[in-house]
Amino acid sequence: MKGKRNIFLVGPMGAGKTTIGKQLAQSLHLEFIDSDQEIEARTGAPIDWIFDIEGEEGFRKREKSVIAELTQKQGIVLATGGGAILEQENRTFLAGRGIVVYLETSIEQQLERTRRDKRRPLLQSSDDPEATLIALHKERDILYREIADVIVATNENSIKSVANKIISQITQD
């Protein structure tokens, strides 16, 4: 990891960014931060409530500010929200300030991992979660790939094996 001391995890909801990020940070002795949890801590409100009150635009504005600040830290593993890459400025900060790892997962895995989670505003407002996830994938996959230094599939793999695969790929240089 010469030169770059941060690892930024991007990918869709349900890809395992928070869970894998915690394992990765522990293995590498880095600080773990989840941008959504940071937004909740700063506002004192859950993400779904922010979406209800401020809409997606209001949430994205908060997210942009938090990512601009967090990507300036050193020695962190940062799990971003699934839509963080929608903002060009966020993509620039992520790509320029650390190693970006795209955690790729199937729609089926996303459905399985998010089906009981009541705190996913983009799914909660949908009559067809599968169609929503497919539409989000079509919109966002290219943006994840645009900034990714490493792409790792999370389907059917243990948390530890995914973290080890990431470590192996980022330390090859």
Side-chain angles (χ1 to χ4, degrees):
M1 284 181 41
K2 298 174 200 133
K4 291 187 177 181
R5 293 194 300 259
N6 293 324
I7 300 169
F8 304 135
L9 303 178
V10 300
M13 66 180 94
K17 296 180 299 290
T18 299
T19 307
I20 292 164
K22 288 177 182 175
Q23 176 66 50
L24 196 56
Q26 182 181 1
S27 297
L28 295 170
H29 308 289
L30 298 173
E31 179 185 2
F32 173 76
I33 304 171
D34 179 295
S35 64
D36 283 352
Q37 290 173 4
E38 187 69 21
I39 292 166
E40 288 182 338
R42 290 177 185 202
T43 61
I47 299 297
D48 55 341
W49 188 84
I50 296 169
F51 261 76
D52 285 347
I53 302 302
E54 298 179 1
E56 185 172 1
E57 185 179 333
F59 171 75
R60 296 290 172 214
K61 185 176 177 184
R62 289 180 183 276
E63 181 179 58
K64 184 173 158 181
S65 171
V66 164
I67 287 177
E69 180 184 324
L70 294 177
T71 56
Q72 292 182 62
K73 289 179 161 268
Q74 290 298 316
I76 66 167
V77 173
L78 175 66
T80 63
I85 46 76
L86 294 171
E87 283 280 340
Q88 174 61 54
E89 196 171 350
N90 289 346
R91 293 195 306 275
T92 300
F93 289 149
L94 292 165
R97 296 177 176 170
I99 297 169
V100 179
V101 179
Y102 172 17
L103 296 180
E104 189 177 42
T105 193
S106 68
I107 300 296
E108 294 75 25
Q109 281 291 313
Q110 285 183 270
L111 283 167
E112 178 61 30
R113 293 172 181 165
T114 61
R115 83 184 139 104
R116 286 185 293 280
D117 190 342
K118 301 297 180 208
R119 299 184 63 200
R120 307 274 183 175
L122 295 177
L123 290 184
Q124 294 316 116
S125 62
S126 171
D127 292 331
D128 186 349
E130 183 175 12
T132 299
L133 292 173
I134 290 168
L136 290 171
H137 177 80
K138 285 180 181 171
E139 175 189 24
R140 297 174 178 182
D141 182 66
I142 192 167
L143 300 173
Y144 297 135
R145 290 177 186 283
E146 173 188 305
I147 63 169
D149 296 302
V150 175
I151 300 173
V152 177
T154 65
N155 291 343
E156 308 303 323
N157 292 312
S158 74
I159 296 160
K160 194 161 185 81
S161 72
V162 173
N164 288 339
K165 188 171 187 175
I166 293 167
I167 292 167
S168 167
Q169 289 195 25
I170 64 175
T171 56
Q172 284 179 355
D173 298 334

